[in-house]
Amino acid sequence: MDKAATKLDRIMMKAKREPKTRFTYVKYLLNEEYLYNCYQELEKGKAAGVDGRTVESYTQEEIRHEIREIIESMKRDQYKPQPIRRVWIPKESGTKRALGIPTVIDKIIQMGCGKIITAIWEPKFLSVSYGYRPGRDAHASLKQINHMIMGKPVNYVVEADIEGFFDHVNHVWMRRCLKEHIADPRFLNLITQMLKTEVSEDGRITKIEEGTPQGGIISPILANVYLHYVLDLWFEIREKKEITGYAQLVRYADDFVIGCQNKAEAEKVLNDIGKRFIQFGLKLSEEKTRIIEFGRFAQENRKRRKEKRETFDFLGFTHYCSQTIDGRYAVKVQTSRKRVKRSQQAMHTYLKENRSVPLKQLWEMVAMKLRGHYQYYGVSGNFEAIKIFHKKTRQMAFKWLNKRSQKRSYNWEQFTNFSMRHPLPQPKLYYAFYNTW
């Protein structure tokens, strides 16, 4: 076993065995072999940072030399991350989201530090948190929400959205959170330097006073640490003591929902969270945060009042109250409209931009994209949605295969015959969320 991995395992075991331990010396783990292993784990084919270098552009000798140089600079406390290259990604709303691209060397350091933080905090994180944690992915959180609403006295759901979370993490509070279990000042200074990394955009350099480096490898684990203290612990230890009915939080990274038994207490929880967030530099989105009537009796109550049933979106799925074939209550999900639109647009763009690629290669990539779509959206009750996506993909493929040249390549019958000889993956369900109560 890799020596560094063994040391990380020991740290994790100690953190689990001695919950109040503060680790006084962890920066020593950032040695050459450890950081070289981090380099090998970096994804290839990603955009370059401000230095123009990509992961695959380095030879083994070159990257080892760079790692040795950076270790020496860290020993002298002279390491300073290079500015992050900022690019803008379009959003469904028509606005754009900022994405930061660190250099390869800075990604290596971020990954190395992130692994250390994960080893220390993973045993401490609560069961309510999901996302960027081993065995606690999006499907696990969706299943937990299903079980909560189906099996507990949930009548209302607080659907919350943190406005620009990664842009507004307070650096002082972030450091205080980390100091709960890390007492190595040199390591903490290293994290502070990452948080304050400058941003390069159109030749201009901007200093960062708050937030975590968007696009940075270390950002997800820092987000989990921050919200562990700001939200998870506070909700479980303090907020629950002040309410009498059932209430449960389920958080995935910076997205979360809360199931509540009583409307008045749902309103109290939401109000208290808003006040709590202000203390830590965060803010709930007024537009995307709301309380809805949702649960076993919500559908009947709203039907009796002649009101339309309410739904909520979480991690790309719309949750709605329904029934099983034999008439029993069930919470079901389907791909949200925004995600349907985004997925179809992404496939359309890919086929349009790659229509000149050799057919075999193009078809293999389309097949791979379909499998990826099924593996995420192929959940209980969502078969019709992924079936439609399969159908739409075939229609778009037919359109763009016929635009590969001025001459029409296929009529529909020829395309169907080609598809039969080279079939695309059929829709398939991968995850079962539902319990039998």
Side-chain angles (χ1 to χ4, degrees):
M1 181 181 286
D2 176 69
K3 291 181 180 178
T6 304
K7 290 177 181 177
L8 287 176
D9 288 339
R10 289 174 182 166
I11 287 175
M12 186 176 289
M13 286 189 291
K14 185 178 177 67
K16 185 175 183 179
R17 190 173 58 248
E18 303 172 26
K20 295 184 179 180
T21 295
R22 295 181 74 225
F23 292 84
T24 57
Y25 186 40
V26 291
K27 193 178 177 184
Y28 79 96
L29 286 169
L30 302 172
N31 57 47
E32 182 178 341
E33 284 307 311
Y34 176 68
L35 293 179
Y36 180 71
N37 289 340
C38 290
Y39 162 75
Q40 291 182 309
E41 291 182 38
L42 292 178
E43 289 186 58
K44 294 181 172 60
K46 296 296 183 179
V50 293
D51 60 356
R53 300 298 299 268
T54 60
V55 173
E56 53 269 33
S57 72
Y58 285 94
T59 64
Q60 183 174 330
E61 293 76 15
E62 195 176 9
I63 195 63
R64 282 194 174 275
H65 173 74
E66 292 287 343
I67 288 172
R68 284 193 292 269
E69 289 287 313
I70 216 72
I71 289 172
E72 287 302 313
S73 69
M74 286 194 292
K75 287 179 179 177
R76 298 190 298 269
D77 291 327
Q78 293 178 345
Y79 166 72
K80 181 182 179 182
Q82 294 191 58
I84 291 173
R85 184 168 72 87
R86 176 177 284 169
V87 296
W88 294 90
I89 309 298
K91 297 173 67 174
E92 294 102 334
S93 60
T95 58
K96 293 184 178 181
R97 176 173 65 90
L99 180 67
I101 305 174
T103 65
V104 172
I105 300 301
D106 291 334
K107 285 181 180 179
I108 294 171
I109 304 300
Q110 285 192 26
M111 181 179 285
C113 293
K115 285 175 177 285
I116 294 169
I117 295 171
T118 298
I120 294 171
W121 261 272
E122 181 56 34
K124 305 179 190 309
F125 288 146
L126 305 186
S127 61
V128 302
S129 76
Y130 296 80
Y132 308 103
R133 296 184 58 193
R136 303 182 68 80
D137 61 8
H139 294 106
S141 67
L142 290 164
K143 188 171 185 177
Q144 180 59 34
I145 288 172
N146 181 274
H147 290 187
M148 173 182 72
I149 298 173
M150 290 279 288
K152 302 296 181 180
V154 171
N155 297 310
Y156 296 89
V157 168
V158 178
E159 182 185 7
D161 181 85
I162 306 176
E163 195 171 283
F165 170 76
F166 288 95
D167 292 329
H168 296 107
V169 169
N170 182 283
H171 293 174
V172 174
W173 279 114
M174 182 77 253
R175 188 178 175 104
R176 286 184 64 175
C177 290
L178 292 171
K179 286 176 74 174
E180 285 292 311
H181 295 291
I182 296 178
D184 183 342
R186 299 180 73 189
F187 184 84
L188 292 170
N189 289 341
L190 188 59
I191 301 300
T192 300
Q193 287 178 313
M194 291 178 190
L195 291 172
K196 294 187 177 297
T197 302
E198 296 173 331
V199 171
S200 173
E201 183 179 5
D202 298 328
R204 300 190 306 273
I205 302 296
T206 306
K207 291 185 177 181
I208 298 299
E209 300 300 332
E210 62 178 1
T212 63
Q214 287 210 33
I217 293 173
I218 201 168
S219 291
I221 181 60
L222 291 180
N224 273 339
V225 170
Y226 201 71
L227 289 173
H228 171 70
Y229 293 105
V230 175
L231 180 61
D232 303 352
L233 275 178
W234 167 82
F235 184 82
E236 292 296 314
I237 296 173
R238 293 180 57 185
E239 187 68 6
K240 278 190 174 182
K241 288 182 179 179
E242 298 182 5
I243 56 181
T244 57
Y246 177 84
Q248 186 57 58
L249 163 74
V250 179
R251 178 178 66 81
Y252 182 93
D254 62 321
D255 294 323
F256 66 95
V257 296
I258 299 172
C260 293
Q261 186 171 358
N262 306 313
K263 185 176 182 180
E265 292 189 334
E267 291 171 345
K268 170 182 165 44
V269 165
L270 184 55
N271 184 58
D272 290 349
I273 288 175
K275 292 178 180 178
R276 171 79 174 173
F277 277 5
I278 290 172
Q279 297 177 43
F280 295 90
L282 303 177
K283 181 183 178 183
L284 286 170
S285 168
E286 293 183 9
E287 181 184 342
K288 298 179 181 179
T289 300
R290 61 192 182 127
I291 297 171
I292 66 168
E293 188 176 12
F294 197 98
R296 186 171 296 274
F297 305 108
Q299 190 170 359
E300 295 176 11
N301 292 339
R302 297 189 74 80
K303 187 176 181 180
R304 188 173 60 251
R305 299 195 301 265
K306 297 181 180 180
E307 295 174 350
K308 185 179 179 181
R309 73 179 182 187
E310 294 186 292
T311 65
F312 69 93
D313 288 355
F314 190 69
L315 301 181
F317 291 91
T318 297
H319 296 66
Y320 62 97
C321 295
S322 185
Q323 292 180 332
T324 60
I325 295 174
D326 57 1
R328 288 175 297 141
Y329 167 73
V331 176
K332 296 187 178 182
V333 299
Q334 63 185 26
T335 312
S336 69
R337 290 183 180 179
K338 285 184 178 180
R339 290 295 182 93
V340 168
K341 183 179 178 181
R342 182 201 297 181
S343 298
Q344 290 182 1
Q345 184 59 51
M347 183 64 80
H348 180 273
T349 301
Y350 177 80
L351 288 164
K352 178 182 178 180
E353 294 179 350
N354 293 275
R355 61 186 184 274
S356 299
V357 170
L359 185 55
K360 181 181 178 182
Q361 181 182 337
L362 175 66
W363 212 241
E364 287 175 352
M365 283 301 299
V366 171
M368 186 177 75
K369 289 178 180 295
L370 276 174
R371 278 191 292 268
H373 187 87
Y374 303 155
Q375 286 167 4
Y376 187 78
Y377 294 103
V379 305
S380 311
N382 199 39
F383 187 77
E384 191 61 30
I386 61 174
K387 184 178 167 185
I388 291 172
F389 183 71
H390 175 270
K391 179 182 177 181
K392 291 286 187 181
T393 296
R394 291 187 77 245
Q395 292 172 345
M396 288 186 283
F398 175 69
K399 172 185 174 179
W400 289 109
L401 286 178
N402 276 309
K403 291 182 179 289
R404 289 163 66 88
S405 65
Q406 304 239 341
K407 184 179 178 182
R408 187 179 177 89
S409 302
Y410 298 95
N411 59 35
W412 186 253
E413 183 179 354
Q414 290 170 328
F415 177 73
T416 301
N417 290 334
F418 171 78
S419 299
M420 290 177 67
R421 293 194 306 272
H422 308 281
L424 291 172
Q426 291 296 311
K428 178 182 176 182
L429 298 182
Y430 284 83
Y431 298 94
F433 289 165
Y434 305 149
N435 273 356
T436 302
W437 299 98

